[in-house]
Amino acid sequence: MNSSPNFIGAMIPAKPETNFVLRCADNAMILGQRLSEMCGHAPELELDLALTNISLDLIGQAGLLYDHVQTLEKLAPNADVLALTRDQNAYLNCLLVAQPNVDFAHIVLRQYLFSTFQKRQYEALLSSSDETLAAIAEKSLKEIAYHIRFAKDWVLRLGDGTEDSHERMADALDCLWRYSGELFEKDSVLAAAIDAGLLTDFTDKYEAWQIEVVALLAEATLTPPDDTHMLKGGYQGHQEDHLGHILTDMQYMQLKYPSLQW
Amino acid sequence: MQSDNWFLYEVFIRSKNGMAHKHAGSVHAQDAETAILSARDLYTRRGEASSLWIIRSKDIIASDPAESGELYDPADDKIYRHPTFYSVPDGVKNM
Amino acid sequence: MYSTDLRTDAEKRRAQKADAKRSVEDAAFLDAFQARIDAGDIIEAKDIMPEGYRKTLVRQISQHAHSEIVGMLPEGNWVTRAPTLRRKLILLAKIQDEAGHGLYLYSAAETLGRSRDDMVADLLSGKAKYSTIFTYPTPTWADMGTIGWLVDGAAITNQIPLCRCSFGPYARAMVRVCKEESFHQRQGYEIVTTLAQGTPEQKQMAQESLDRIWWPSLMMFGPPDGASAHSSQNMKWKIKRHSNDELRQRFIDTTVPQAEFLGLKIPDPDLKWNEERGRYDFGDIDWSEMWAVIKGGGICGKARIRARKAAHKEGEWVRAAAAAYAQKRNSEKAA
């Protein structure tokens, strides 16, 4: 166990409010990191720019949120140490955002499911008792609206495009749908954050979200699998193996050269 | 498969309200919606726009440079269209 | 900034007919074109131009575009490993700019009648070249600094005169590119500065990176004037405004004091200020290395093209789907 103050390790926040903000930060960070893997490798140059834009938005959101976590509970000497030195199971992102960039179908479906959820979650922050958080949500919602527009268009195009693209989308849906249940789950941390006035309860939007998403998928000639066993646990730090490999890259410099300025 | 069936669109940007749209460049896209999004990603990364126009490049009708003599030269000697052609007596203001 | 090849079919046919009649572009035609250039005229895409001028521009602009696109890869190597969130955002934005600049340039080249598909096909088949600098590996984070400082610095030195190139669409693309790239060199120098003022380990990382990238960055200006195949005609046509050697010298003169400021040592024992010339003298460049990279592809050459091929291949089904979807929507509208 590294005892350096520049290493967070297994520590997680004590307060539910901080825990919730850290979840939001990790969601944005890990998805931003995933999308940044595509930089220079997207299937078309125009899409390279688009995916990088979304990645920039998300990592920007993560930065604001990590800074805010630090003001709520000073967990690390600075936000970079907080973002980049925790153990795998101290990351509190939902499982969906760490899913790999299997192909462009997986990328756009992951984005669509996440961004439509994130919109509802951030709308619930607009009237937060925490003004900084409300301001971050307000700024981010404009970015999220664009992410939804981009992802939605491509879900339609790929779902209702060629036979090949349809099959790829069906595969993506088969893989990713099982991570959608976690997005709206109300565990004790979220319940406490809601009680504290940090956000309104967005989990009751789950059904409306499902109706909207299923309708869009239907327009894209896609149907979610029946009776899916929903996978959960990311918000409690029970991460899948994917995250470990993301962190290997993401934490490389901070762990190899602790305490240095870059 | 080639992307030949991606069309070329010309992009025009209005930097802020009150200004005219100005030609910025072109993008490849398969439909108008994608063209708008691509133009936004490509030409407005630094907040350059308050409005975007796009048009299929093939729909632009351009004059022929070989005809520029007959089209534009006749205007060159109509100097009486310009205010500097006229002399205004000293002491006359606001004209 | 540019417009596409807006010639109507009739104009294209007429140009072809005119070309055929001139089967050999006669002296009068070439002289008249040269007179336009000499008078400072800007040539636009629809103008009649010598085939050599058109070909040279397509080659140069598309090579420039390819370099932007391939140039995303060495820096992309560190995006997922950037040491802080701020550095990650800056690096991502910079690489994204390069994709944008590639697109501006492909568009400028397309005004000359060559499709982006064809140009990309030439890159992937190895027929078209790109800047040799991007075949070098980027083993440390310091390389992200050195690339911004030296490689973007050299690129800017090359590109500023191109803003006054005689071909309008290229010149306008360069104006936009230069404006956007002004932050690229600064962010690189900022990284190197942080390292040079950091721990001994960081300073060594910066020096080692400079040692590796210095000479290849000098090669970015191309072969010496005597050995350059295209230089003099391109200068006459004002596609190029300054010789390779002149631009290289300018780059060295501006960069050496920047290295000295940081306490870093340029890896050239012959480098010294020449009071009489008011410029730096520098050691011989090992041109055999540059020619070897051009012919053989350099250390990462194969990997760079493989990465571009993989992205292009992944794009095939995406483009096909988008086209099929658009077609369905169009036929719905028509029905």
Side-chain angles (χ1 to χ4, degrees):
Chain A
M1 176 82 197
N2 190 331
S3 60
S4 149
N6 288 301
F7 180 80
I8 299 293
M11 189 199 305
I12 56 168
K15 294 191 253 177
E17 293 92 326
T18 321
N19 187 308
F20 173 78
V21 179
L22 190 57
R23 289 178 182 187
C24 294
D26 286 343
N27 274 351
M29 184 68 222
I30 299 301
L31 187 52
Q33 175 78 7
R34 261 296 184 229
L35 289 167
S36 78
E37 292 171 9
M38 296 306 296
C39 182
H41 305 279
E44 188 56 87
L45 291 173
E46 283 82 356
L47 298 176
D48 218 300
L49 277 129
L51 294 179
T52 305
N53 262 347
I54 299 176
S55 175
L56 284 168
D57 286 345
L58 288 167
I59 297 171
Q61 291 169 14
L64 296 173
L65 291 162
Y66 285 127
D67 282 340
H68 192 52
V69 166
Q70 287 284 90
T71 65
L72 296 174
E73 218 173 309
K74 192 151 169 69
L75 298 169
N78 61 58
D80 286 313
V81 173
L82 173 62
L84 302 173
T85 69
R86 276 171 289 148
D87 288 351
Q88 173 171 319
N89 284 359
Y91 279 83
L92 303 180
N93 52 278
C94 60
L95 299 173
L96 176 68
V97 292
Q99 297 308 307
N101 301 320
V102 175
D103 62 11
F104 190 58
H106 282 248
I107 292 170
V108 296
L109 184 66
R110 184 182 63 205
Q111 195 65 48
Y112 178 68
L113 297 176
F114 178 76
S115 297
T116 48
F117 142 74
Q118 197 193 18
K119 174 173 182 278
R120 284 170 172 82
Q121 188 189 42
Y122 279 36
E123 281 169 351
L125 289 167
L126 289 175
S127 57
S128 175
S129 56
D130 179 335
E131 283 174 19
T132 309
L133 197 54
I136 294 172
E138 192 182 354
K139 177 196 172 288
S140 306
L141 276 164
K142 288 183 198 156
E143 297 166 348
I144 295 165
Y146 179 80
H147 305 167
I148 294 174
R149 183 169 169 183
F150 173 83
K152 189 171 143 181
D153 283 351
W154 279 103
V155 168
L156 287 171
R157 273 191 205 107
L158 300 183
D160 191 17
T162 61
E163 205 174 309
D164 179 24
S165 71
H166 177 87
E167 268 171 39
R168 287 168 183 269
M169 279 303 290
D171 174 63
L173 190 54
D174 191 44
C175 290
L176 299 176
W177 188 250
R178 71 188 71 185
Y179 298 105
S180 64
E182 182 183 20
L183 303 175
F184 289 89
E185 190 199 26
K186 183 150 73 171
D187 69 344
S188 59
V189 167
L190 181 57
I194 291 168
D195 285 345
L198 197 69
L199 72 166
T200 56
D201 191 352
F202 69 92
T203 59
D204 58 12
K205 304 278 193 320
Y206 185 28
E207 209 183 310
W209 176 85
Q210 277 182 314
I211 290 168
E212 179 190 315
V213 169
V214 170
L216 190 271
L217 291 171
E219 199 185 332
T221 71
L222 296 161
T223 319
D226 286 336
D227 295 332
T228 305
H229 170 64
M230 290 293 173
L231 297 176
K232 300 172 184 181
Y235 282 141
Q236 292 77 32
H238 308 302
Q239 299 291 347
E240 292 183 340
D241 291 347
H242 299 303
L243 186 67
H245 295 280
I246 294 177
L247 298 182
T248 305
D249 272 2
M250 202 170 101
Q251 301 183 330
Y252 170 72
M253 291 293 285
Q254 287 285 340
L255 295 192
K256 184 165 167 57
Y257 307 98
S259 316
L260 297 193
Q261 301 301 308
W262 300 99
Chain B
M1 199 193 90
Q2 295 276 291
S3 51
D4 283 333
N5 47 2
W6 285 42
F7 307 112
L8 205 49
Y9 291 80
E10 298 300 311
V11 180
F12 299 82
I13 292 176
R14 184 208 292 285
S15 55
K16 59 179 188 214
N17 283 9
M19 310 289 278
H21 284 79
K22 194 174 159 204
H23 187 231
S26 53
V27 290
H28 286 242
Q30 63 282 16
D31 55 37
E33 170 67 9
T34 324
I36 283 273
L37 295 192
S38 294
R40 176 262 193 194
D41 286 331
L42 184 56
Y43 291 106
T44 73
R45 296 196 302 286
R46 287 167 172 75
E48 293 95 332
S50 72
S51 164
L52 278 177
W53 283 352
I54 53 154
I55 182 171
R56 283 276 292 275
S57 306
K58 72 172 185 54
D59 292 334
I60 290 189
I61 298 153
S63 65
D64 179 351
E67 293 169 351
S68 63
E70 65 198 66
L71 289 175
Y72 314 117
D73 289 356
D76 286 351
D77 64 354
K78 310 252 183 331
I79 48 176
Y80 44 80
R81 289 194 198 277
H82 300 280
T84 46
F85 178 72
Y86 303 92
S87 51
V88 176
D90 289 345
V92 175
K93 287 181 182 153
N94 298 322
M95 187 178 285
Chain C
M1 169 168 37
Y2 15 73
S3 55
T4 55
D5 184 357
L6 291 170
R7 291 179 301 172
T8 60
D9 287 344
E11 284 172 62
K12 279 183 197 157
R13 270 197 305 276
R14 206 169 58 215
Q16 264 170 6
K17 240 191 251 164
D19 287 346
K21 224 197 287 178
R22 273 199 314 272
S23 61
V24 180
E25 286 170 344
D26 55 39
F29 170 75
L30 292 173
D31 287 348
F33 184 77
Q34 189 60 48
R36 282 193 70 187
I37 299 281
D38 293 342
D41 256 17
I42 300 293
I43 309 301
E44 291 293 346
K46 280 174 64 126
D47 294 354
I48 304 273
M49 60 187 84
E51 214 32 49
Y53 182 81
R54 182 185 296 274
K55 275 193 183 141
T56 299
L57 279 166
V58 170
R59 193 191 62 240
Q60 183 173 332
I61 302 171
S62 62
Q63 272 182 17
H64 197 161
H66 299 329
S67 300
E68 295 280 356
I69 300 306
V70 176
M72 297 166 72
L73 298 168
E75 290 175 287
N77 186 34
W78 280 90
V79 161
T80 59
R81 291 180 292 171
T84 68
L85 297 198
R86 178 172 176 269
R87 290 286 175 215
K88 196 187 291 283
L89 288 170
I90 294 169
L91 188 60
L92 263 175
K94 175 178 191 286
I95 301 172
Q96 189 195 35
D97 274 351
E98 281 151 16
H101 298 169
L103 287 176
Y104 302 159
L105 286 159
Y106 282 129
S107 295
E110 278 186 306
T111 66
L112 292 162
R114 192 98 208 282
S115 78
R116 183 169 125 197
D117 279 341
D118 289 344
M119 291 184 269
V120 169
D122 284 350
L123 171 69
L124 300 184
S125 73
K127 194 176 151 200
K129 302 294 179 201
Y130 57 91
S131 180
T132 51
I133 192 75
F134 301 118
T135 65
Y136 290 87
T138 50
T140 73
W141 170 252
D143 296 333
M144 297 304 98
T146 315
I147 285 179
W149 173 32
L150 299 183
V151 175
D152 286 85
I156 292 166
T157 309
N158 258 329
Q159 285 168 180
I160 285 178
L162 287 173
C163 296
R164 295 186 296 120
C165 156
S166 62
F167 185 57
Y170 193 25
R172 291 193 288 277
M174 279 301 106
V175 169
R176 198 177 182 106
V177 167
C178 285
K179 212 163 93 187
E180 296 189 349
E181 275 191 356
S182 54
F183 97 81
H184 292 185
Q185 191 186 18
R186 284 183 184 201
Q187 66 84 35
Y189 194 65
E190 189 188 84
I191 291 175
V192 180
T193 305
T194 310
L195 297 179
Q197 296 170 352
T199 63
E201 189 182 19
Q202 285 175 306
K203 184 161 184 181
Q204 194 196 339
M205 198 189 270
Q207 181 63 55
E208 184 271 337
S209 177
L210 175 59
D211 291 347
R212 268 184 294 110
I213 297 178
W214 173 254
W215 292 104
S217 70
L218 296 188
M219 294 174 197
M220 286 176 69
F221 296 94
D225 294 345
S228 175
H230 309 293
S231 241
S232 69
Q233 180 61 64
N234 291 358
M235 300 261 284
K236 246 177 95 184
W237 275 335
K238 295 187 186 167
I239 293 173
K240 230 177 130 59
R241 291 274 181 166
H242 307 283
S243 74
N244 293 352
D245 286 337
E246 166 58 23
L247 291 168
R248 189 168 11 248
Q249 180 75 55
R250 279 188 196 180
F251 172 72
I252 292 169
D253 291 344
T254 53
T255 308
V256 172
Q258 294 165 356
E260 282 170 354
F261 177 83
L262 297 176
L264 296 176
K265 196 170 166 0
I266 303 271
D268 178 357
D270 297 324
L271 185 83
K272 61 172 185 299
W273 179 251
N274 182 324
E275 196 62 57
E276 203 178 311
R277 288 203 306 140
R279 313 195 91 167
Y280 282 93
D281 291 336
F282 54 95
D284 290 335
I285 296 171
D286 178 7
W287 293 111
S288 65
E289 179 178 328
M290 189 189 80
W291 293 117
V293 172
I294 290 176
K295 286 183 188 122
I299 300 171
C300 299
K302 289 260 185 289
R304 302 287 185 243
I305 294 302
R306 199 181 304 122
R308 289 315 309 159
K309 275 187 183 164
H312 189 74
K313 178 128 193 57
E314 176 69 5
E316 283 176 8
W317 72 267
V318 176
R319 285 186 289 271
Y325 181 80
Q327 207 165 17
K328 283 184 205 176
R329 294 292 84 79
N330 281 338
S331 50
E332 268 172 28
K333 260 186 232 160

